[in-house]
């Protein structure tokens, strides 16, 4: 019997790409039945593109256009074309610093996921680890969620708690949250690739398919 085809991942990132690296490594060792087929970045020279090249994954910079926080129409069309051209099954946001609008999301319904560095719905938006520290919470963490039109508001797939320790700085806390991210993002993507994640409104349920 031939194995089912691997789930095809399109990754978007703007920065260091540590989540991409964790996902790519999990694919390589067979922990996720998927393969990264394209990496796209809105930032020219972003380290995530170097990591993609090293991993042998096709990658390219696509300029975001004239806006600061989102893609303009032309850029959005170019991202959609690149992802559709690569026949992706899932769009994985890995530190992509642009808001994706309805035009983009409608092309990949229920197929765009993100990782956010807090226990949502607490601390959506930028520098969530710093928000948590400034607020004084004792527990924060990270969240894998589907992307909808809000900011960090989509249905939650998986979360992992990270304690805030006495003496934590923004840097030490962020580093520990990122360690947790590198555990749950591959786990969530593995579950999605296996068809184990079912969504009913805001609720997602993991059912192991046998
Ligand atoms: C991660 O910490 C994630 O929470 C946020 O962006 C950061 C990206 O880091 N969405 P990296 O580029 O994966 O290293």
């Amino acid at each position: 019997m031939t194995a089912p085809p691997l789930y095809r991942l399109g990754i978007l990132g703007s920065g260091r790409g540590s989540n991409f690296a964790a996902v790519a490594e999990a694919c390589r060792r067979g922990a996720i039945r998927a393969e990264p087929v394209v990496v796209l970045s809105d930032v020219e020279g972003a380290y995530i593109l170097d990591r993609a090249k090293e991993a042998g994954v096709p990658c390219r910079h696509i300029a975001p256009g004239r806006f600061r926080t989102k893609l303009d129409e032309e850029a959005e069309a170019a991202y959609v074309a690149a992802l559709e051209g690569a026949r992706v099954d899932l769009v994985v946001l890995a530190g992509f610093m642009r808001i994706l609008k309805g035009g983009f999301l409608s092309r990949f319904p229920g197929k765009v996921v993100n990782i956010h560095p807090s226990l949502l719905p607490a601390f959506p938006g930028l520098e969530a680890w710093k928000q948590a520290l400034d607020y004084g919470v004792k527990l924060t963490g990270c969240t894998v969620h589907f992307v909808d039109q809000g900011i960090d508001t989509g249905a939650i797939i998986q979360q992992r708690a990270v304690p805030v320790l006495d003496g934590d700085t923004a840097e030490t806390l962020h580093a520990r949250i990122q360690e947790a991210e590198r555990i749950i993002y591959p786990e969530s993507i593995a579950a999605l690739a296996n068809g184990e994640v079912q969504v009913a409104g805001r609720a997602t349920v993991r059912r192991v398919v046998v």
Side-chain angles (χ1 to χ4, degrees), residues 41 58 83 111 164 196 209:
S41 181
L83 293 163
K111 294 286 178 194
V164 180
E196 293 171 7
V209 181

Side-chain angles (χ1 to χ4, degrees), residues 114-126 128 131 139-148 150-160 202:
N114 182 43
I115 185 144
H116 180 78
S118 75
L119 293 177
L120 289 170
F123 311 125
L126 294 175
Q131 295 184 50
L139 198 62
T140 183
C142 51
T143 303
V144 180
H145 63 94
F146 287 107
V147 175
D148 65 9
I151 300 203
D152 304 320
T153 50
I156 290 171
I157 300 168
Q158 192 174 355
Q159 296 186 297
R160 191 174 177 101
R202 286 213 55 86

